[in-house]
Amino acid sequence: MEKKIRIVEGDITGQTVDAIVNAANTSLLGGGGVDGAIHRAAGPELLQECRQLGGCPTGEAKATRGYQLPAKWVIHTVGPIWRGGTRNEDALLASCYRNSFKVARELGARSIAFPSISTGAYGFPLERATRIALREARETLAADDRIEEVVFVCFGQKALETYQAVYREAFGEESAGGSSSSRRK
Ligand code: AR6
């Protein structure tokens, strides 16, 4: 089961998977960070489709097509803004992962790549977020045979090392996937 989780360093827009997850905001109309990168790589049709979705509450997820991305779908989720940990941030972040997996199942996606939701502009502590991400992936993979591969795309060395360390702690072994992504555009 654990072998279905891969940890790679790189840019999520180059990932060859069925669906990539976007760390968006409640407007779903684009932004900076990974959201900006995904919109640039997918092309303007992505924004056109996002305009039809009417936004998305924190912790939920909505899908669009991937347009010029190698991924067929983009699952847009909205992570919590970190406010010190007292505003239900952990549960909301877990809900982003859970709802993204739920949407992936509905789409029939077998492989899905995640960025580190909320850990950039939204300020969620990286290690704490990584524990939640890996726990949710593990639980989904244990309960669901249809999702075959979950890729965590780490943007930079610090994120990569954090994911690998939390993975070792949780699973007691090295993760599959190596230390650099050959799928970068
Ligand atoms: N591929 C993979 N990961 C990336 C990429 C990329 N191309 N670019 C950045 N990251 P952030 P948030 C990492 O700020 O914290 C946007 O403006 C980055 O290093 O993109 O959820 C939205 O519109 C970090 O680890 O998202 C919202 O307003 C992670 O992606 C707001 O930012 C998430 O950082 C959402 O903030």
Side-chain angles (χ1 to χ4, degrees):
M1 177 264 286
E2 286 84 356
K3 294 296 173 206
K4 293 177 177 175
I5 294 178
R6 283 202 303 128
I7 296 170
V8 303
E9 192 271 328
D11 180 342
I12 201 165
T13 63
Q15 293 294 314
T16 314
V17 287
D18 294 337
I20 64 170
V21 174
N22 182 17
N25 59 63
T26 54
S27 78
L28 297 186
L29 298 180
V34 70
D35 195 4
I38 288 172
H39 275 271
R40 278 192 299 278
E45 290 160 299
L46 179 61
L47 181 57
Q48 278 176 31
E49 188 176 351
C50 282
R51 285 189 203 285
Q52 314 304 315
L53 297 177
C56 180
T58 302
E60 296 189 12
K62 293 186 179 181
T64 63
R65 289 164 58 196
Y67 300 99
Q68 290 168 48
L69 292 163
K72 188 168 180 189
W73 295 290
V74 180
I75 298 171
H76 305 264
T77 189
V78 183
I81 299 172
W82 180 257
R83 299 186 196 278
T86 57
R87 305 280 186 88
N88 212 24
E89 291 97 320
D90 289 340
L92 286 167
L93 186 62
S95 152
C96 288
Y97 286 95
R98 233 171 283 149
N99 283 320
S100 296
F101 280 124
K102 181 166 175 268
V103 170
R105 272 195 298 278
E106 287 163 5
L107 293 167
R110 295 187 165 277
S111 54
I112 179 168
F114 285 93
S116 183
I117 299 162
S118 280
T119 67
Y122 282 0
F124 203 113
L126 178 62
E127 195 175 314
R128 185 166 173 148
T130 304
R131 285 184 214 287
I132 292 168
L134 287 172
R135 183 193 71 212
E136 292 304 323
R138 176 184 213 171
E139 285 178 7
T140 291
L141 289 171
D144 183 347
D145 280 346
R146 283 168 297 182
I147 293 181
E148 292 168 358
E149 184 182 47
V150 179
V151 185
F152 288 105
V153 184
C154 302
F155 200 61
Q157 191 67 24
K158 184 177 168 225
L160 178 69
E161 285 169 7
T162 302
Y163 271 78
Q164 287 175 335
V166 171
Y167 185 97
R168 274 195 301 274
E169 185 188 274
F171 297 102
E173 56 176 293
E174 295 295 318
S175 68
S179 61
S180 71
S181 172
S182 55
R183 293 175 173 184
R184 208 189 276 252
K185 260 192 176 167

